[in-house]
C-alpha cells in the first residue's frame, strides 16, 4: 500500500532532493543532513510552498562550503525575483569565504523556464555580473546558473498514446512466459522475485517532452544531472537533427529507457499505455533511467522554438518557425519500458540499480574517477581485489557507478569518510565534499600527492608487496566497520524520540562522531588498527542504547563548556576540537582515571558508555582471539619490556624498540631471508642507508650486532609508528604470540603486546 505524505512535506522533500542533486553534480555534497535544521526546513517551505517569489541562500539553509548557492523560486513577479538575486549576489560577493556563486532557479515547466532565462539575460544578468565584479576588491568569482523544473502534483494519468499494438515487441518475463493470463493454470500463484519483463516500441518524442514538462525533473530521479554541461556537443546534435531532419531522429538516437514498478504494463487500449497515475504526495512508480539528456535537450529545443515563434514579428520568419516546429514534433524515438518485480527488496533493488548503471556508462568525469587512476588507488584497489578473495580484507573498492550493489563493496568517497572517522576527524568526515576529501596535487617530480594524508597515507605508497597486508590492516583495518556502523546508525537513529532538543540535535548530526568514538574505544584508543577485528554484528544489540548514551554525553559536555563551544546546533558538528577533548576524557575513564577530571557526573556517563561496549570489569575491550595475554597493572611505576617471559627495564619507547628488535633477530634468525626480501625501510644491513640521513634514519640510527651480523635500526618515527613497525617485524618472522609486551610509566596495561 502506497503511503501518502502531506503535500507540504512532499514538496519540501522534492526541493531538498533537487538541491542535493545539484551539490552532488558539483562534487560539493557533504554528509551533513542540513535539512534537519528547523531554520533550513522553514526556508525549504518558503521556496517550495510559498505563493510569492522567494530568494534564499545556502547560509540560511545551513549548507557550508566555498560554493555559495542562491535559490530562487519563481511565482509571478520576475522583477522582484531578479532584485532578490542581485541583493544576494552582493552579499555573497563580499563574503571572503566565497569561491563560487551558483544561482539555482526553480520553475514549474519548460515554458516558464525559457521565459525566465530570456528575461533574466535581458534585464538582470548584467547587474549580477557587476555585483560580482564589485565584490571582494574586484575579484572575479565564477558564476553558474542552473534551472530546475519542479511541477506540482495533480491527480491525473501519465500516459503514452498513439501506439501501434502490432509494432510493439513484448519481452517475456525472465522467470516466466508471456501471454499467460494471471490466474491461469500455467501461471505461478506468486511471481518470483527475479521476474523481469518489458515492452519495446516507438513513440513521438514530443510526448516524452510533454511528460517531462508535466512532471519536472523528478521524472529522472537518481539519473537527473542538474548543472552538468553537455558533453561532446550532444545537445547541439540533438537540436540540429530535430530542426533539419526530424525523420532521421529515430535512427540517430539510442532511445529512452523507463524503469517501472508498475506491474500492469499491459496496454489499456489498442494504442494507450498508462505509466502511472499522479497524485499529490505519491511517488511515481516509474522513472527515466537512460535518455535524460535526450529529453531535456529536446524539451529546450521545442519550447525555445515556441518562445521564438511567439516573440517573432516578421511574417516570413514566423511561418518558417511554425513549419520547423510542426515538422520536428513528428520525430520518433525508441522506448523501452522495463518492469522489475520487487524493486523495494534487496534482490529486486540490486537488479534495478544494475540495469540503471549498465545503461549510464557515459557520465561526466568527476574527481573520484580521476583519483582511481592514480598509482596509490591502482595499488590499493588491486590489493583489495585479491585480499577479498582470500579473506584477508572485508571489502573491495569499486569505481563510481560500477558496483554490483552486493555486500562488501565500497565507493571511494565512502572509504574516505570512514577513514576520516577512524583517524579521529569526524567533523571532516561529515562536512567535507568529494572535491576536498579526494584533492591531490602533482609535485615537481610528477608524483601525485594527496592533500588528505591521513586518508591516503604515505606508508601504503612505500609498502612492498610482502608488507601490503600489514600496512593495510594497520591504517585501514577499521574502515569497513566504520562505514557499516555509520549506515546502521542512519537506520536506527530515528527510533530515538522523546529526548530534549539538544540531545536530539546531537542524534541528528552525530553519526560520524559516534562512529569515530566507538571505533576508537573498541581499538583501545590506538591509532594502529592491526589488532582490530570488531564487526558491526558485535555491537548490533547495544547500538540504539549506545547512540542515546553518547548523544547525552555530547550534549552534557557542551553544556559544561558552553562559553568555549557555544550552542548545540548543526554548525558545531563541522569541527572536531571539542570531540577530541571529550575523547581524551573518555580515554581517561577507560584507563581508570575518570574521577580526576572534576566532572563526576560526566565521568559516570562516560563509564556507562564504555562498559556498554567493553563489558568486562577491567574496562578493557571484550576479549578476542588475539586479546592481550599480559597482566593489566593498575599503574606501572617504570618503563619496562617483557621479552620471552623475561622482564627488563628500559628508558623510553626507542629503547624498548631496540631491545625488542634485538630479541627477535636473535631468536628468529631463520627468517632473515624474508626480512631482506621485504625491503623494510627502517631495518637494514646496508650501512650506506643508515648514514644517508634519510627517512627513518634521519636521526641517530641504532646499530645491533646479532650472531656476527650488523643491523641498523632507524628510530626517527613517533611511538605509534614504532609499534606498527615492530608488529610488522613480528608478523614477518612468525614471532610466537605472547612473547612481547611494552609497559609505560603511568599507563595501566601494556602499550604494545605480541
Amino acid at each position: 500500500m502506497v503511503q501518502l505524505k502531506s503535500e507540504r512535506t512532499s514538496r519540501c522533500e522534492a526541493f531538498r532532493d533537487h538541491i542535493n542533486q545539484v551539490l552532488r553534480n558539483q562534487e560539493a555534497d557533504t554528509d551533513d543532513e542540513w535539512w534537519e535544521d528547523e531554520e533550513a526546513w522553514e526556508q525549504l517551505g518558503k521556496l517550495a510552498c510559498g505563493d510569492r517569489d522567494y530568494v534564499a541562500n545556502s547560509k540560511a539553509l545551513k549548507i557550508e562550503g566555498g560554493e555559495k548557492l542562491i535559490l530562487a523560486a519563481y511565482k509571478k513577479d520576475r522583477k522582484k525575483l531578479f532584485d532578490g538575486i542581485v541583493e544576494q549576489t552582493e552579499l555573497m560577493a563580499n563574503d571572503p569565504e566565497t569561491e563560487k556563486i551558483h544561482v539555482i532557479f526553480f520553475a514549474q515547466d519548460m515554458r516558464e523556464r525559457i521565459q525566465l532565462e530570456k528575461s533574466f539575460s535581458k534585464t538582470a544578468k548584467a547587474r549580477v555580473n557587476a555585483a560580482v565584479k564589485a565584490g571582494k576588491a574586484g575579484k572575479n568569482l565564477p558564476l553558474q546558473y542552473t534551472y530546475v523544473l519542479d511541477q506540482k502534483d495533480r491527480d491525473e494519468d501519465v500516459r503514452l498514446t498513439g501506439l501501434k499494438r502490432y509494432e510493439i515487441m513484448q519481452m517475456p518475463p525472465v522467470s516466466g512466459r508471456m501471454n499467460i493470463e494471471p490466474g491461469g493454470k500455467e501461471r505461478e500463484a506468486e511471481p518470483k522475485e527475479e521476474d523481469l519483463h518489458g515492452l519495446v516500441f516507438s513513440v513521438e518524442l514530443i510526448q516524452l517532452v510533454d511528460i517531462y514538462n508535466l512532471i519536472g525533473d523528478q521524472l529522472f530521479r537518481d539519473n537527473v544531472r542538474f548543472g552538468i554541461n553537455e558533453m561532446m556537443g550532444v545537445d547541439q546534435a540533438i537540436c540540429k537533427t530535430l530542426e533539419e531532419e526530424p525523420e532521421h531522429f529515430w535512427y540517430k538516437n539510442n532511445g529512452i529507457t523507463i524503469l517501472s514498478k508498475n506491474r500492469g504494463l499491459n496496454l489499456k487500449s489498442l494504442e494507450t499505455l498508462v505509466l502511472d497515475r499522479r497524485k499529490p504526495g505519491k511517488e511515481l512508480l516509474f522513472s527515466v533511467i537512460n535518455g535524460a539528456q535526450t529529453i531535456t535537450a529536446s524539451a529546450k529545443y521545442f519550447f525555445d522554438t515556441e518562445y521564438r515563434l511567439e516573440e517573432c514579428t516578421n511574417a516570413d520568419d514566423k511561418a518558417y518557425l511554425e513549419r520547423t516546429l510542426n515538422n520536428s514534433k513528428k520525430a520518433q524515438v525508441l522506448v523501452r519500458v522495463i518492469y522489475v518485480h520487487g524493486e523495494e527488496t534487496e534482490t529486486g533493488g540490486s537488479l534495478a540499480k544494475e540495469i540503471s548503471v549498465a545503461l549510464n556508462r557515459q557520465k561526466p568525469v568527476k574527481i573520484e574517477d580521476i583519483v582511481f587512476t592514480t598509482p596509490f588507488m591502482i595499488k590499493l584497489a588491486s590489493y583489495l581485489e585479491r585480499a577479498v578473495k582470500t579473506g584477508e580484507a572485508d571489502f573491495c573498492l569499486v569505481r563510481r557507478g560500477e558496483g554490483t550493489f552486493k555486500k562488501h563493496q565500497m565507493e571511494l568517497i565512502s572509504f574516505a569518510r570512514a577513514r576520516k572517522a577512524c583517524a579521529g576527524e569526524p567533523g571532516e568526515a561529515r562536512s567535507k565534499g568529494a572535491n576536498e576529501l579526494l584533492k591531490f596535487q602533482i609535485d615537481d617530480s610528477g608524483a601525485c600527492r594527496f592533500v588528505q594524508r591521513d586518508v591516503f597515507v604515505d606508508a601504503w605508497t612505500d609498502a612492498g608487496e610482502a608488507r601490503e597486508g600489514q600496512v593495510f590492516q594497520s591504517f585501514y583495518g577499521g574502515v569497513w566497520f566504520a562505514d557499516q556502523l555509520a549506515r546502521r546508525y542512519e537506520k536506527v537513529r530515528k527510533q530515538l524520540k522523546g529526548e530534549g532538543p539538544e540531545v536530539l540535535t546531537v542524534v541528528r548530526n552525530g553519526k560520524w562522531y559516534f562512529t569515530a568514538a566507538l571505533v576508537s574505544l573498541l581499538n583501545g584508543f590506538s591509532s594502529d588498527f592491526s589488532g582490530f577485528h570488531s564487526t558491526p554484528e558485535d555491537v548490533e544489540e547495544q547500538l540504539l542504547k549506545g547512540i542515546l548514551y553518547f548523544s547525552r554525553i555530547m550534549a552534557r559536555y557542551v553544556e559544561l563548556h558552553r562559553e568555549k563551544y557555544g550552542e548545540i546546533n548543526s554548525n558545531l558538528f563541522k569541527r572536531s576540537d571539542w570531540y577530541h577533548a571529550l575523547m581524551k576524557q573518555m580515554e581517561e575513564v577507560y584507563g581508570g582515571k575518570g574521577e580526576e577530571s572534576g566532572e563526576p557526573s560526566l565521568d559516570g556517563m562516560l563509564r556507562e558508555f564504555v562498559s556498554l561496549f567493553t563489558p568486562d570489569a577491567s574496562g578493557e575491550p571484550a576479549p578476542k582471539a588475539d586479546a592481550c595475554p599480559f597482566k593489566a597493572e593498575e599503574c606501572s611505576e617504570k618503563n619496562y619490556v617483557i621479552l620471552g617471559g623475561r622482564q627488563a627495564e628500559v628508558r623510553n619507547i626507542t629503547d624498548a624498540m631496540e631491545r625488542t628488535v634485538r630479541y627477535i633477530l636473535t631468536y628468529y634468525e631463520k627468517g632473515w631471508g624474508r626480512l631482506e626480501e621485504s625491503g623494510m625501510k627502517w631495518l637494514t644491513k646496508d650501512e650506506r642507508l643508515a648514514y644517508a640521513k634519510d627517512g627513518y634514519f634521519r636521526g641517530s640510527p641504532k646499530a645491533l650486532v646479532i650472531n656476527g651480523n650488523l643491523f641498523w635500526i632507524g628510530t626517527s618515527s613517533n611511538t605509534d609508528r614504532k609499534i606498527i613497525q615492530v608488529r610488522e617485524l613480528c608478523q614477518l618472522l612468525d614471532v610466537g604470540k605472547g612473547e612481547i609486551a611494552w609497559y609505560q610509566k603511568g599507563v595501566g596495561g601494556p602499550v604494545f603486546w605480541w
Side-chain angles (χ1 to χ4, degrees):
M1 181 177 180
V2 179
Q3 184 174 353
L4 301 182
K5 300 176 182 177
S6 72
E7 185 175 357
R8 179 181 178 82
T9 298
S10 180
R11 295 279 296 150
C12 288
E13 289 180 350
F15 268 63
R16 173 202 65 191
D17 293 343
H18 291 325
I19 295 168
N20 280 337
Q21 188 63 52
V22 171
L23 292 171
R24 277 193 294 273
N25 288 335
Q26 300 300 310
E27 298 185 270
D29 58 315
T30 68
D31 207 44
D32 177 14
E33 295 183 353
W34 52 269
W35 58 91
E36 295 278 6
D37 185 273
E38 288 186 13
E39 184 181 344
W41 190 258
E42 182 181 349
Q43 291 291 316
L44 277 175
K46 291 179 179 179
L47 284 166
C49 307
D51 56 1
R52 298 181 180 180
D53 300 87
Y54 192 72
V55 180
N57 60 44
S58 48
K59 184 176 182 180
L61 287 166
K62 312 300 181 184
I63 301 173
E64 298 295 322
E67 179 171 333
K68 305 299 183 183
L69 306 182
I70 299 174
L71 306 110
Y74 173 62
K75 305 299 178 181
K76 54 186 175 182
D77 190 339
R78 291 183 204 157
K79 183 180 184 306
K80 181 180 178 182
L81 188 78
F82 297 161
D83 288 345
I85 292 172
V86 172
E87 181 181 345
Q88 291 292 336
T89 303
E90 291 171 348
L91 290 173
M92 299 296 185
N94 286 290
D95 183 345
E97 295 183 358
T98 301
E99 299 171 2
K100 176 182 177 180
I101 296 176
H102 192 160
V103 183
I104 304 172
F105 290 93
F106 294 94
Q108 289 194 61
D109 55 37
M110 281 301 297
R111 289 184 180 86
E112 189 174 272
R113 179 237 197 270
I114 295 296
Q115 292 171 353
L116 262 179
E117 185 175 10
K118 301 290 186 183
S119 181
F120 181 76
S121 296
K122 287 180 180 179
T123 64
K125 198 169 186 177
R127 293 166 58 201
V128 169
N129 291 337
V132 169
K133 189 174 181 180
K136 297 185 73 172
K139 181 179 178 181
N140 190 22
L141 292 167
L143 261 172
Q144 183 173 345
Y145 299 96
T146 296
Y147 292 82
V148 177
L149 297 194
D150 184 84
Q151 180 64 274
K152 287 185 177 180
D153 292 335
R154 295 188 292 243
D155 196 341
E156 60 187 318
D157 284 339
V158 182
R159 62 180 68 204
L160 294 169
T161 62
L163 307 181
K164 298 176 182 178
R165 194 178 187 96
Y166 60 86
E167 291 183 353
I168 296 175
M169 182 170 67
Q170 183 176 359
M171 293 300 294
V174 171
S175 63
R177 294 191 296 158
M178 88 182 149
N179 297 330
I180 301 296
E181 292 298 324
K185 294 181 180 179
E186 298 182 63
R187 183 75 181 181
E188 294 181 359
E190 292 294 333
K192 295 180 181 179
E193 278 198 354
E194 67 270 20
D195 264 3
L196 175 68
H197 59 94
L199 303 173
V200 182
F201 52 85
S202 297
V203 71
E204 292 169 339
L205 176 63
I206 189 63
Q207 288 197 52
L208 293 162
V209 167
D210 286 338
I211 289 176
Y212 173 48
N213 195 45
L214 179 71
I215 295 173
D217 285 307
Q218 285 300 306
L219 174 63
F220 311 119
R221 287 214 292 271
D222 293 338
N223 191 40
V224 65
R225 297 186 286 171
F226 304 138
I228 293 181
N229 295 329
E230 60 187 81
M231 301 174 61
M232 298 181 293
V234 174
D235 284 8
Q236 293 100 320
I238 287 173
C239 295
K240 183 178 180 181
T241 302
L242 287 173
E243 182 172 358
E244 298 179 2
E245 44 184 8
E247 67 279 6
H248 290 168
F249 191 89
W250 189 94
Y251 300 94
K252 292 186 175 183
N253 189 269
N254 288 327
I256 310 295
T257 303
I258 298 172
L259 193 65
S260 175
K261 299 178 184 178
N262 187 354
R263 186 165 183 78
L265 284 183
N266 295 327
L267 298 178
K268 298 300 182 183
S269 69
L270 290 176
E271 59 177 22
T272 301
L273 175 65
V274 177
L275 295 170
D276 193 18
R277 185 165 186 84
R278 295 180 72 210
K279 291 183 179 180
K282 171 182 172 291
E283 183 180 286
L284 287 170
L285 294 178
F286 72 95
S287 64
V288 170
I289 61 169
N290 184 248
Q293 189 172 12
T294 295
I295 294 174
T296 52
S298 300
K300 189 172 182 182
Y301 166 79
F302 282 123
F303 288 100
D304 186 63
T305 305
E306 191 177 277
Y307 176 84
R308 288 158 54 203
L309 181 60
E310 292 173 358
E311 296 289 311
C312 185
T313 56
N314 182 283
D316 291 339
D317 291 343
K318 196 176 186 73
Y320 170 77
L321 287 172
E322 191 168 6
R323 282 196 310 274
T324 301
L325 183 60
N326 290 335
N327 285 333
S328 64
K329 288 182 178 180
K330 297 175 184 178
Q332 297 268 317
V333 68
L334 186 69
V335 174
R336 288 192 294 175
V337 182
I338 299 173
Y339 168 79
V340 179
H341 171 66
E343 190 180 343
E344 70 283 354
T345 67
E346 183 176 349
T347 302
S350 294
L351 182 56
K353 289 176 181 177
E354 286 183 37
I355 292 171
S356 181
V357 167
L359 293 173
N360 284 280
R361 294 297 184 190
Q362 290 185 337
K363 291 188 175 182
V365 176
K366 293 190 174 185
I367 189 171
E368 188 172 344
D369 305 314
I370 298 171
V371 167
F372 243 103
T373 67
T374 62
F376 185 103
M377 282 308 304
I378 291 172
K379 180 180 180 181
L380 182 57
S382 177
Y383 165 76
L384 286 172
E385 188 175 342
R386 299 191 309 270
V388 165
K389 293 177 181 177
T390 60
E392 297 176 78
D394 294 316
F395 68 97
C396 61
L397 287 168
V398 293
R399 294 175 183 269
R400 178 177 63 98
E402 291 191 5
T404 60
F405 304 96
K406 296 177 182 177
K407 294 180 180 179
H408 302 291
Q409 292 186 341
M410 195 187 306
E411 290 193 351
L412 185 53
I413 189 63
S414 298
F415 170 82
R417 294 194 196 284
R419 171 56 193 162
K420 275 289 184 183
C422 292
E425 294 297 337
E428 294 187 4
R430 180 181 185 274
S431 63
K432 287 187 179 296
N435 274 327
E436 293 178 283
L437 286 173
L438 306 180
K439 187 176 181 180
F440 65 90
Q441 299 168 338
I442 305 298
D443 63 18
D444 294 339
S445 67
C448 173
R449 302 292 181 188
F450 287 94
V451 173
Q452 304 296 334
R453 306 292 277 276
D454 55 351
V455 175
F456 303 95
V457 297
D458 292 337
W460 175 255
T461 304
D462 298 338
E465 186 174 345
R467 297 176 55 229
E468 283 181 347
Q470 302 161 13
V471 173
F472 176 84
Q473 185 64 28
S474 177
F475 288 97
Y476 302 120
V479 166
W480 177 253
F481 176 87
D483 176 73
Q484 294 301 298
L485 181 66
R487 294 178 188 277
R488 281 169 166 77
Y489 184 105
E490 283 298 321
K491 291 181 179 179
V492 305
R493 74 172 178 84
K494 293 181 181 178
Q495 299 176 37
L496 294 174
K497 300 176 182 178
E499 293 291 317
E502 291 196 334
V503 172
L504 290 178
T505 297
V506 176
V507 172
R508 284 196 305 270
N509 296 280
K511 175 178 71 177
W512 286 114
Y513 290 78
F514 173 82
T515 298
L518 187 53
V519 167
S520 184
L521 173 62
L522 294 176
N523 200 41
F525 295 92
S526 171
S527 60
D528 176 11
F529 289 88
S530 296
F532 187 89
H533 299 294
S534 295
T535 68
E537 290 73 25
D538 294 338
V539 300
E540 194 79 50
E541 292 184 7
Q542 300 90 358
L543 185 56
L544 186 62
K545 186 183 291 187
I547 293 172
L548 178 59
Y549 283 8
F550 190 70
S551 299
R552 289 173 176 172
I553 289 168
M554 295 179 84
R556 175 62 176 158
Y557 185 81
V558 176
E559 179 185 354
L560 291 168
H561 301 84
R562 188 77 72 185
E563 291 185 3
K564 184 175 182 180
Y565 299 118
E567 298 297 320
I568 296 181
N569 54 41
S570 60
N571 289 326
L572 186 67
F573 295 86
K574 294 177 174 65
R575 48 195 285 195
S576 298
D577 56 336
W578 63 286
Y579 164 81
H580 293 152
L582 175 59
M583 290 306 295
K584 183 178 180 181
Q585 192 165 335
M586 184 185 291
E587 186 175 0
E588 290 175 349
V589 168
Y590 175 85
K593 301 189 299 179
E595 296 299 337
E596 299 177 7
S597 70
E599 297 168 359
S601 64
L602 183 62
D603 288 337
M605 296 169 73
L606 286 167
R607 192 169 293 106
E608 193 171 6
F609 177 78
V610 168
S611 64
L612 183 65
F613 294 103
T614 56
D616 62 315
S618 68
E620 293 294 326
K624 297 183 178 64
D626 61 347
C628 177
F630 296 93
K631 181 180 177 181
E633 297 185 358
E634 290 292 329
C635 183
S636 177
E637 296 181 356
K638 58 185 178 181
N639 299 318
Y640 66 93
V641 297
I642 294 177
L643 301 171
R646 296 182 179 182
Q647 181 175 316
E649 189 171 351
V650 295
R651 297 184 302 275
N652 48 40
I653 291 294
T654 299
D655 194 13
M657 181 184 193
E658 180 182 349
R659 284 174 177 266
T660 302
V661 173
R662 180 186 296 276
Y663 169 81
I664 294 172
L665 293 179
T666 299
Y667 290 97
Y668 291 89
E669 183 178 356
K670 291 182 179 179
W672 286 5
R674 276 175 281 163
L675 178 64
E676 294 176 359
E677 292 173 2
S678 71
M680 282 189 176
K681 296 187 177 181
W682 63 275
L683 181 60
T684 182
K685 287 185 177 182
D686 192 337
E687 189 172 349
R688 292 173 302 172
L689 293 177
Y691 284 97
K693 300 297 181 183
D694 188 28
Y696 295 113
F697 295 96
R698 286 193 297 271
S700 300
K702 303 292 182 180
L704 298 177
V705 178
I706 310 294
N707 297 338
N709 291 271
L710 180 63
F711 290 87
W712 298 89
I713 304 174
T715 59
S716 296
S717 57
N718 59 30
T719 296
D720 289 340
R721 170 48 55 186
K722 285 182 173 68
I723 290 173
I724 292 171
Q725 290 167 338
V726 174
R727 181 173 282 114
E728 290 172 353
L729 182 62
C730 290
Q731 290 174 329
L732 183 66
L733 300 190
D734 296 326
V735 176
K737 291 297 181 71
E739 291 192 34
I740 300 169
W742 297 354
Y743 287 82
Q744 195 169 5
K745 185 178 180 180
V747 178
V751 295
F752 166 67
W753 70 85
W754 179 262

